[in-house]
Amino acid sequence: MNKKFVAILLTLAMSSTLMATTSSAEYISKSKAKEIVLAHAGVSATNATFVKTELDTENGKHEIDLEFFVPFSINGISVYKEYDYDLNAFNGAIL
């Protein structure tokens, strides 16, 4: 066999293995991510409206990006407080 062909096959095999070891099965669940940020913010799940919960990659690191709003009122005027969190996708650490 051609040495270049063997090198390409080995590279493909190694990259397939790497992709398999970083599968989404190792990520924390989106529901667990929500639990973490709600607890950190001291907000009840019934008061929060999530507008974003997605897996993202920043600087080569896998993160879960979450955004939610919580309604409250000031002098009878309804307003919303925005929360924006980035979590480590593997262990749930707040970034």
Side-chain angles (χ1 to χ4, degrees), residues 47 69-83:
N47 293 333
F69 293 90
V70 177
F72 65 99
S73 69
I74 298 176
N75 297 328
I77 300 171
S78 295
V79 293
Y80 293 87
K81 181 171 182 181
E82 177 185 6
Y83 293 83

Side-chain angles (χ1 to χ4, degrees), residues 29-71:
S29 68
K30 288 183 178 181
S31 61
K32 181 63 177 174
K34 287 179 180 181
E35 287 177 25
I36 292 168
V37 298
L38 289 171
H40 185 266
V43 173
S44 167
T46 57
N47 293 333
T49 301
F50 280 86
V51 293
K52 185 177 186 182
T53 306
E54 62 185 37
L55 186 63
D56 194 11
T57 303
E58 291 288 328
N59 300 320
K61 295 180 181 177
H62 299 280
E63 301 177 356
I64 299 176
D65 186 10
L66 300 105
E67 290 181 25
F68 64 95
F69 293 90
V70 177

Side-chain angles (χ1 to χ4, degrees), residues 20-31:
T21 60
T22 58
S23 72
S24 62
E26 296 178 15
Y27 300 144
I28 63 168
S29 68
K30 288 183 178 181
S31 61

